[in-house]
């Protein structure tokens, strides 16, 4: 039950610190990552041609982060695709490839059929799944469970954070086994992952700023999410969350794409949400903020505490603790989930059971 919370969604966001810890800690033994009983050797990894990440909705957005980090750390080429596209496009997979399937329920029909298609073509399938014994878990070669526990709210929150956590473990493990990252770096990122639950506690404790912002802007007709690099992946998830529970139209754009069209839609009072957790891209994002503000946009930025320049550029800044940019998405998604929650609440929407949506999509 709701354990004293008004909605399952809030309860589930508040569980994020715990479930991330449950997902990460059992896989760290003597400062090394051990992915349960999954036997993937350095030789297996050297032989992989390509990794395909396949999923739907929020799980797909976790996959987009997965692509960035696996390519960055392990230097293996990764394609990420929505399952309903992948399964019908006769994908170029072969027996040297690995397919990573991501699913909370483990029952999403398009994702399950994408898995079967991958196996038919001889690929090794590793799935990141939340429901033990689900169809996807049963049919995969290897399973890495996310220990998010039952997720009742239709809009996925804590499952996403644990999917990201699992993907970081996979990326780091592959990269280290392949000799693509140094031991010191590997250990530092592991330490960073262990500290994430505490960082999210701080974000949750700080939710008043977001609540207040939502109470002033819930009448918005259309909202843009703009980010670069990992923040672009995060923007897609922030935008989906907002749409599905508050019914406000929204779109996510890569910062650099703005001037290729979308900026035409920015007018006096348009809300623009800018996650900006990537240190090397903050300056570029500040330029984007200037561009939209010059056209009248109201900007809410999500930035690291120490990033003082952002305060001057944006109208309102929600700060997150100073975490390494690489792992920042696991922390920075929480303010976006909270934003969607408070906007929906202000509008009087049923946050746990949005219209037209089912928790598990088992029909096409
Ligand atoms: C969004 C949401 C959906 C699911 C998607 C995949 O909040 O819940 O987009 O992420 O239907 O579901 P799973 O992960 O169960 O395969």
């Amino acid at each position: 039950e709701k354990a004293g919370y008004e909605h399952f969604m809030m309860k589930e966001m508040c569980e994020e610190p715990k479930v991330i810890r449950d997902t990460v800690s059992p896989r760290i033994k003597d400062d090394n990552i051990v992915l349960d009983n999954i036997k993937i050797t350095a030789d297996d990894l050297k032989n992989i041609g390509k990794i395909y990440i396949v999923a739907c909705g929020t799980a797909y957005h976790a996959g987009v982060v997965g692509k960035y980090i696996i390519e960055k750390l392990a230097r293996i080429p990764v394609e990420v695709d929505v399952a309903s596209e992948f399964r019908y496009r006769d994908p170029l997979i072969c027996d040297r490839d690995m397919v990573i399937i991501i699913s909370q329920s483990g029952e999403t029909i398009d994702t399950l059929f994408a898995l079967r298609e991958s196996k038919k073509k001889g690929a090794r399938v590793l799935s990141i799944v939340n429901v033990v014994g689900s169809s996807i878990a049963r049919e995969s070669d290897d399973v890495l469970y996310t220990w998010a526990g039952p997720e009742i709210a239709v809009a996925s929150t804590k499952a996403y954070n644990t999917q990201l956590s699992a993907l970081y473990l996979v990326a780091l493990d592959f990269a280290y086994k392949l000799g693509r990252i140094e031991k010191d770096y590997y250990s530092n990122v592991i330490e960073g992952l262990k500290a994430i639950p505490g960082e999210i506690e701080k974000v949750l404790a700080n939710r008043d700023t977001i609540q207040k912002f939502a109470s002033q802007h819930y009448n918005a007709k259309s909202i843009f999410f703009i980010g670069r690099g990992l923040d672009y992946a995060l923007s897609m998830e922030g935008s989906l969350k907002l749409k599905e529970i508050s019914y406000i139209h929204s779109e996510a754009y890569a910062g650099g794409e703005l001037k290729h069209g979308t900026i035409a839609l920015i007018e006096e009072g348009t809300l623009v949400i800018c996650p900006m957790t990537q240190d090397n891209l903050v300056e570029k994002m500040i330029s984007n903020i200037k561009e939209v503000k010059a056209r009248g946009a109201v900007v809410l930025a999500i930035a690291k505490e120490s990033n003082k320049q952002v305060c001057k550029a944006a109208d309102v800044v929600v700060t997150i603790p100073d975490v390494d940019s690489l792992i920042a998405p696991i922390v920075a998604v929480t303010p976006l989930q909270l934003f969607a929650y408070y906007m929906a609440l202000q509008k009087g929407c049923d946050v746990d059971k949005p219209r037209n949506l089912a928790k598990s999509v088992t029909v096409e």
Side-chain angles (χ1 to χ4, degrees):
E1 265 307 301
K2 289 184 199 152
Y5 290 93
E6 205 181 332
H7 301 101
F8 281 109
M9 187 176 171
M10 180 52 86
K11 171 174 179 271
E12 289 163 8
M13 289 188 287
C14 290
E15 286 168 354
E16 286 170 4
K18 176 190 183 296
V19 297
I20 293 169
R21 201 174 287 119
D22 291 347
T23 302
V24 171
S25 323
R27 276 79 185 233
I28 297 174
K29 307 224 162 76
D30 303 326
D31 298 324
N32 277 301
I33 293 170
V34 181
L35 299 177
D36 304 351
N37 51 3
I38 301 173
K39 301 266 177 298
I40 299 177
T41 64
D43 279 338
D44 294 337
L45 291 169
K46 281 188 196 114
N47 287 325
I48 290 180
K50 211 174 199 182
I51 293 178
Y52 289 83
I53 301 181
V54 187
C56 300
T58 286
Y60 165 75
H61 294 150
V64 180
V65 172
K67 171 187 164 72
Y68 274 76
I69 59 171
I70 294 172
E71 288 192 339
K72 184 173 169 65
L73 299 176
R75 311 306 292 170
I76 303 171
V78 181
E79 264 194 54
V80 51
D81 214 338
V82 288
S84 56
E85 287 299 312
F86 181 86
R87 61 177 285 209
Y88 292 117
R89 75 176 160 91
D90 192 12
L92 277 175
I93 342 166
C94 67
D95 56 9
R96 287 189 54 212
D97 296 332
M98 172 181 269
V99 174
I100 299 180
I101 295 278
I102 309 174
S103 176
Q104 187 283 123
S105 63
E107 301 296 345
T108 302
I109 193 82
D110 281 324
T111 312
L112 179 61
F113 275 84
L115 179 164
R116 289 184 183 156
E117 176 75 15
S118 308
K119 288 195 73 172
K120 207 162 71 194
K121 294 195 158 160
R124 177 167 181 169
V125 176
L126 162 66
S127 64
I128 294 176
V129 181
N130 196 44
V131 177
V132 176
S134 55
S135 306
I136 290 175
R138 278 186 278 114
E139 294 190 29
S140 301
D141 297 304
D142 299 294
V143 185
L144 188 62
Y145 282 110
T146 49
W147 296 116
E151 199 180 54
I152 311 292
V154 166
S156 182
T157 54
K158 61 176 180 167
Y160 175 85
N161 302 65
T162 60
Q163 286 160 352
L164 291 191
S165 305
L167 285 162
Y168 280 90
L169 292 174
V170 167
L172 277 171
D173 181 58
F174 287 10
Y176 188 58
K177 279 186 180 147
L178 283 166
R180 307 250 152 94
I181 52 174
E182 302 287 339
K183 176 83 187 175
D184 277 359
Y185 181 77
Y186 172 74
S187 305
N188 281 343
V189 184
I190 292 176
E191 284 312 306
L193 285 177
K194 289 203 279 195
I196 294 266
E199 314 293 13
I200 296 185
E201 295 286 5
K202 292 180 201 155
V203 171
L204 288 164
N206 227 337
R207 52 187 188 257
D208 295 2
T209 321
I210 303 170
Q211 184 171 20
K212 182 166 166 231
F213 186 83
S215 71
Q216 293 160 342
H217 295 283
Y218 66 94
N219 279 324
K221 289 281 163 286
S222 181
I223 301 184
F224 293 89
F225 287 76
I226 290 163
R228 289 175 180 252
L230 287 169
D231 290 326
Y232 174 42
L234 209 53
S235 295
M236 295 181 200
E237 176 55 11
S239 172
L240 175 65
K241 212 85 316 177
L242 181 77
K243 273 181 273 209
E244 63 179 331
I245 60 170
S246 77
Y247 317 138
I248 297 172
H249 168 258
S250 108
E251 288 189 50
Y253 268 89
E257 277 289 290
L258 253 189
K259 51 168 82 68
H260 298 286
T262 322
I263 200 155
L265 294 172
I266 306 289
E267 51 188 22
E268 201 57 41
T270 306
L271 274 196
V272 178
I273 314 294
C274 299
M276 39 208 299
T277 64
Q278 302 299 299
D279 292 343
N280 61 328
L281 297 167
V282 164
E283 286 305 324
K284 296 275 170 211
M285 280 301 298
I286 289 181
S287 307
N288 288 138
I289 291 181
K290 287 183 181 151
E291 286 159 4
V292 294
K293 278 194 64 75
R295 288 156 181 89
V298 174
V299 175
L300 171 75
I302 291 145
K304 293 188 202 174
E305 241 155 40
S306 63
N307 226 324
K308 301 291 179 217
Q309 321 98 288
V310 178
C311 298
K312 284 187 225 125
D315 294 288
V316 178
V317 182
V318 171
T319 56
I320 62 162
D322 284 327
V323 293
D324 186 335
S325 291
L326 182 81
I327 56 176
I330 319 181
V331 181
V333 73
T334 308
L336 298 178
Q337 297 164 343
L338 287 164
F339 176 65
Y341 174 83
Y342 285 121
M343 292 293 271
L345 206 61
Q346 284 287 342
K347 290 191 67 187
C349 303
D350 184 346
V351 288
D352 283 341
K353 285 203 191 69
R355 69 188 183 204
N356 307 344
L357 296 174
K359 184 66 187 163
S360 177
V361 184
T362 54
V363 289
E364 274 194 70

